[in-house]
Amino acid sequence: MQKENEKTVSSTRLAEVCNINPSIIRKDFSYFGELGKRGVGYDVDELIQKIRNILGLDPVNKVALVGVGNIGKALLAYSNFESEGFKIVMAFDNQPALIGQKINDVTVEDAANLEDRIKEENIQLGILAVPELEAPEIARRMERGGVSAILSFAPCQLLMPDNIKITCMDLSREIARLVYYSSRDAAAAQD
Amino acid sequence: MQKENEKTVSSTRLAEVCNINPSIIRKDFSYFGELGKRGVGYDVDELIQKIRNILGLDPVNKVALVGVGNIGKALLAYSNFESEGFKIVMAFDNQPALIGQKINDVTVEDAANLEDRIKEENIQLGILAVPELEAPEIARRMERGGVSAILSFAPCQLLMPDNIKITCMDLSREIARLVYYSSRDAAAAQD
DNA sequence: ATGTGTGAAGAGCTTCACAGCC
DNA sequence: GGCTGTGAAGCTCTTCACACAT
């Protein structure tokens, strides 16, 4: 909507886009203050800015990437994260062929120095894109480096202290969800 | 647990691993029948098999991948999906350099033939790993090919008919979640 | 007239607590 | 004794419906 220069948006409109009930939009927003204007709606620019503030995406968060394989490269290549509130400022790998390479302004560093470098730059967020077997150790080392949250692409459980938040991007889980719900709805449609 | 040859597991144990209340495990399972034995717990092998059946992961689901860039390559390289209930059996791209290449038993085909090929093989699931700009069109073509669900790596909204399920893997969304909750909990810890 | 913000009602999910089976 | 399966209670989230602001 911002890109299309729409000035204001109503909860009804937002709800249509999200496929949910307008009340949810209004109630949820209301927990964070009176974000809209009665009779008018929500100011698009202002709403985006407020949500960015609420989420903590302003100023932009520095992120360290560990693992510059296919996934890591894809993340480094994608340039639009900054507008989403974060930026990959460091990348690590243990492959000599990769260390020293520069991808999209980020130079790949030796994973051996991970803890120290993360600490030096006071990085709070880590992205884990290493093979499953190495993931638990790298996660622990990120923790020692002082990160407060980890986003992992490794399809495994990472046991970490409670003060560290972990989220896994798990393709199998999402596929399972799609399979379950689409066959369920297909069955329901038969009635 | 299966890998570690544990025969049975209790709802308490499962709940610990998931960081939730044991009642949830028991109640949720109960919706699908009496999966466990009183005084004993759940048979690990049997439970896995039953959950696979419930989700529809048995037999394995055929998946078509569109877009063989970094992400697509990472998915093709990962060999363990079959044990998770699905298998990438076709891959498409529009780059001549990629078409004809064989990655992990799958030959990359010309994206021009996408609809027909998907229909021929009666594929129900599509993975979208193309640049954002091409995503909406590819999604529509997958639909015409007859898929019932799409998993997308493109960070954009895909408007599709209601009978097609869509899930997006959105890094920015997950990062935002982590940032919000970790600063929130850090603030709570101060009290 | 339009559309937010919000108590109150309604629906759904989680937890308790215990009967029933191993 | 141990652990599931499950009504009932408790709680949270969603929806309704309308006062209020523009």
Side-chain angles (χ1 to χ4, degrees), chain A residues 3 16-19 32 54-57 61 63 69-71 73-75 77-78 80-81 84-86 88 125-127 132 148-151 153 155 157 159 162-163 165-183 185, chain B residues 3 16-19 32 54-57 61 63 69-71 73-75 77-78 80-81 84-86 88 125-127 132 148-151 153 155 157 159 162-163 165-183 185:
Chain A
K3 273 184 204 147
E16 277 164 17
V17 176
C18 304
N19 255 311
F32 297 99
I54 291 165
L55 292 173
L57 300 177
N61 297 272
V63 178
N70 281 314
I71 292 177
K73 284 193 184 106
L75 298 179
Y78 185 69
N80 214 39
F81 289 137
E84 309 279 342
F86 64 100
I88 298 173
L125 279 167
I127 296 180
E132 186 170 352
S148 54
I150 296 174
L151 191 146
F153 283 88
Q157 218 207 347
L159 284 167
D162 280 354
N163 59 327
K165 296 259 170 282
I166 303 219
T167 298
C168 295
M169 294 284 219
D170 184 338
L171 191 82
S172 299
R173 182 183 61 201
E174 300 306 325
I175 293 272
R177 259 225 300 247
L178 287 172
V179 169
Y180 176 68
Y181 285 112
S182 65
S183 67
D185 286 13
Chain B
K3 273 183 204 149
E16 277 165 17
V17 176
C18 304
N19 254 311
F32 298 100
I54 291 165
L55 291 172
L57 300 178
N61 297 274
V63 178
N70 281 312
I71 293 177
K73 284 190 185 110
L75 299 179
Y78 185 70
N80 214 39
F81 289 138
E84 308 280 341
F86 64 99
I88 299 173
L125 279 167
I127 296 181
E132 187 171 351
S148 54
I150 296 174
L151 191 145
F153 283 88
Q157 216 207 349
L159 285 167
D162 280 354
N163 58 329
K165 297 261 170 278
I166 301 217
T167 298
C168 294
M169 294 282 215
D170 185 338
L171 191 80
S172 299
R173 181 182 61 200
E174 301 305 327
I175 292 273
R177 260 224 299 246
L178 288 172
V179 169
Y180 177 68
Y181 285 112
S182 64
S183 67
D185 285 11

